[in-house]
Amino acid sequence: MISTPPTTPLPYNDYGRWIRQRLGMRMQKLPVNAGFNCPNRDGTLSNLGCSFCDNSSFTPPYCHPGDSITQQLEAGKHFFSRKYPDTGYLAYFQSFSNTYADTDTLRERYEEALAVEGVRGLVISTRPDCLSSNCLDYLESLSRRTFLTVEIGIESMNDNTLMRLNRQHDMARVRQATEALSSRGIITCGHVILGLPQESEDDMLLQARLISRLPIQILKIHQLQVLRGTALAKSWEREEFRVSTADEYLSLLAQYICRLRSDLVLERFFSSSPLQMVIAPQWGIRPAILNQKLTELMLEKGWRQGVFALP
């Protein structure tokens, strides 16, 4: 995740090293749009979607409308092979809710990805309310024969915030989903956003302790980004909230990490949506540099992941 040499101890449990230990090599995620929908957009729960979300921000430059899963993955391999010639690949089902379909459809699309040469496993992003019993049974069988991570959009552990974001689920549903995945031995990743409107620093630091109680193995964190055309952007234009400066976010993030349980694997800390889509914040700092600054800040203070965690 950062340019620190492998021998340098990091003050947090790093995903890059964890994945190399499990699969024996560096792995590159290849995002694909597999044509799934979302119950928060198709009218099942809502037709508005989450207030912060624009799925086009997930679409990599090598994907083109109408391309099959295989074509997208082959294009992704070509795109990354020049930069990382000695790497394996994970098919990343990222856009929309990627378990929101019947089991036959899921099987067809996941198996197509696994059939692509060089693909060593799957990362499947979804909502906590899109995991039927049949889906969980299939994911369990899949996890027994290939590397599999299911990524759950948590975003916040505050029910009031979830309501304001139009998430259409609560914290209880997050607990149910992560416990159901854990009971089947499926590696689970949580995804949270720091800096959401009306959440104080104390709220966010409390969230770290609540997250640590969930039966997840991996956590993705990133700063709030206001994307053009979203409901959140309209709120931003009305000056109803502010976003953090880079230094404010780094300070909060370091304290947040210290309150996470020490065995939780941390995958990322910063989001990098296409610049033309981002209204705020506009830090103008590459994620690799931000990662380095985070590490330096924690080392300078003598902090490490879990140092302030509760038993």
Side-chain angles (χ1 to χ4, degrees):
M1 293 177 60
I2 63 172
S3 57
T4 306
T7 54
T8 302
L10 292 172
Y12 52 83
N13 196 5
D14 178 54
Y15 177 82
R17 297 181 185 186
W18 178 84
I19 201 75
R20 284 193 296 270
Q21 290 170 353
R22 294 188 75 93
L23 296 178
M25 63 190 307
R26 184 191 185 279
M27 302 302 293
Q28 177 64 51
K29 286 185 182 179
L30 301 179
V32 295
N33 186 335
F36 290 104
N37 205 331
C38 177
N40 207 18
R41 288 182 175 272
D42 70 1
T44 301
L45 297 174
S46 167
N47 56 15
L48 299 176
C50 303
S51 66
F52 57 85
C53 182
D54 183 342
N55 271 270
S56 61
S57 67
F58 305 149
T59 305
Y62 55 79
C63 286
H64 302 286
D67 282 358
S68 68
I69 291 171
T70 300
Q71 288 171 323
Q72 292 179 58
L73 290 171
E74 291 291 355
K77 286 164 56 181
H78 177 74
F79 181 85
F80 285 106
S81 62
R82 292 167 289 180
K83 185 175 182 181
Y84 305 114
D86 300 316
T87 190
Y89 299 103
L90 299 174
Y92 185 17
F93 288 79
Q94 183 179 23
S95 299
F96 299 98
S97 301
N98 292 274
T99 57
Y100 186 49
D102 60 85
T103 307
D104 288 341
T105 300
L106 299 180
R107 182 179 291 107
E108 176 187 345
R109 298 181 190 180
Y110 299 163
E111 297 295 345
E112 180 182 350
L114 288 171
V116 173
E117 184 179 357
V119 171
R120 300 278 302 275
L122 305 176
V123 179
I124 299 170
S125 177
T126 193
R127 290 170 52 92
D129 51 6
C130 289
L131 293 165
S132 68
S133 295
N134 287 341
C135 172
L136 287 164
D137 290 343
Y138 171 57
L139 292 174
E140 181 180 3
S141 68
L142 196 59
S143 71
R144 291 175 179 171
R145 62 184 177 88
T146 191
F147 177 84
L148 172 68
T149 299
V150 175
E151 182 179 304
I152 297 294
I154 300 170
E155 317 316 349
S156 172
M157 292 292 285
N158 183 310
D159 280 342
N160 291 328
T161 300
L162 293 174
M163 182 174 63
R164 288 192 296 267
L165 296 175
N166 195 44
R167 284 291 292 173
Q168 300 293 330
H169 69 75
D170 58 11
M171 289 169 51
R173 184 55 67 93
V174 170
R175 293 192 196 96
Q176 291 166 6
T178 55
E179 288 168 2
L181 290 163
S182 175
S183 70
R184 288 168 165 80
I186 298 168
I187 298 171
T188 307
C189 172
H191 179 282
V192 296
I193 302 172
L194 296 186
L196 289 165
Q198 299 184 42
E199 286 198 348
S200 67
E201 181 173 297
D202 286 344
D203 290 333
M204 289 180 276
L205 295 180
L206 172 61
Q207 180 196 108
R209 289 176 168 149
L210 297 175
I211 286 288
S212 293
R213 297 176 186 172
L214 296 176
I216 62 176
Q217 293 77 46
I218 306 169
L219 183 65
K220 290 174 68 174
I221 311 166
H222 71 68
Q223 80 278 19
L224 176 65
Q225 287 195 308
V226 183
L227 303 180
R228 298 185 190 281
T230 61
L232 194 67
K234 295 177 182 178
S235 179
W236 164 260
E237 290 162 359
R238 294 192 295 266
E239 299 184 349
E240 293 175 356
F241 67 96
R242 64 180 291 272
V243 296
S244 302
T245 66
D247 286 341
E248 287 171 340
Y249 180 71
L250 286 168
S251 175
L252 170 67
L253 182 58
Q255 296 176 70
Y256 188 96
I257 292 170
C258 288
R259 286 161 175 79
L260 293 171
R261 68 175 200 263
S262 59
D263 67 327
L264 195 56
V265 177
L266 305 185
E267 182 172 348
R268 66 180 297 184
F269 306 118
F270 306 97
S271 179
S272 52
S273 298
L275 292 178
Q276 68 272 18
M277 298 183 67
V278 180
I279 297 176
Q282 296 184 350
W283 293 338
I285 310 172
R286 291 187 296 111
I289 300 300
L290 291 167
N291 272 313
Q292 190 64 51
K293 287 179 175 291
L294 171 66
T295 299
E296 291 170 354
L297 173 62
M298 294 186 71
L299 292 175
E300 176 186 339
K301 291 183 173 293
W303 288 351
R304 66 186 186 280
Q305 181 178 340
V307 71
F308 301 143
L310 295 178

